[in-house]
């Protein structure tokens, strides 16, 4: 899915990313389960979209997330919010993708 959001990184080195700026983020969520629920699903895509797009789209991520909003931290936060999610890819620009993955 795609969201538009701004962020301002807090870094311990000089970087243009410490200035407020935005991206059109491409987010891919991976979920798995040994069994499907009573509806034949692992997680309803609508619930994933509500969580990700509903909470992050057109937001200043510094005001929404409880962490420094790097692509890596965004991927971790999403993974932790979605049941059965074991991996999230967050692309902030062409060629810049962060992946957070947990053992399941």
């Amino acid at each position: 899915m795609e969201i538009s959001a701004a962020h301002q990184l807090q870094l311990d080195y000089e970087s243009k990313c410490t200035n407020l700026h935005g991206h059109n983020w491409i987010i891919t969520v991976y979920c798995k389960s040994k069994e499907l629920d009573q509806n034949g699903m692992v997680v309803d895509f609508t619930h994933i979209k509500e969580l990700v797009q509903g909470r992050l789209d057109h937001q200043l991520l510094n005001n929404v997330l409880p962490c420094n909003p790097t692509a890596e931290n965004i991927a971790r936060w999403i993974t932790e919010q979605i049941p059965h999610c074991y991996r999230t890819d967050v692309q902030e620009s062409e060629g810049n993708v962060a992946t957070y993955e947990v053992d399941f």
Side-chain angles (χ1 to χ4, degrees):
M1 70 198 83
E2 184 173 1
I3 64 166
S4 295
H7 68 162
Q8 183 175 16
L9 299 183
Q10 305 301 316
L11 304 172
D12 61 2
Y13 58 90
E14 194 170 319
S15 170
K16 65 182 180 179
C17 294
T18 59
N19 296 316
L20 181 62
H21 63 285
H23 301 281
N24 288 326
W25 309 81
I26 305 295
I27 299 170
T28 306
V29 173
Y30 300 82
C31 298
K32 67 180 177 180
S33 177
K34 291 185 181 207
E35 299 195 16
L36 302 179
D37 69 12
Q38 66 276 10
N39 298 305
M41 300 179 190
V42 174
V43 180
D44 189 323
F45 294 145
T46 301
H47 296 139
I48 295 171
K49 289 177 185 175
E50 286 172 354
L51 178 94
V52 176
Q53 291 176 324
R55 303 235 347 238
L56 303 181
D57 192 37
H58 285 79
Q59 297 294 319
L60 174 56
L61 299 179
N62 298 69
N63 294 342
V64 177
L65 300 176
C67 55
N68 192 24
T70 62
E72 295 85 350
N73 274 334
I74 296 166
R76 179 180 62 182
W77 182 84
I78 292 169
T79 301
E80 291 173 347
Q81 302 304 304
I82 299 172
H84 304 290
C85 182
Y86 70 94
R87 175 181 167 176
T88 303
D89 297 339
V90 174
Q91 177 179 327
E92 69 176 22
S93 58
E94 187 70 34
N96 294 322
V97 180
T99 298
Y100 184 81
E101 188 170 342
V102 294
D103 290 330
F104 213 66

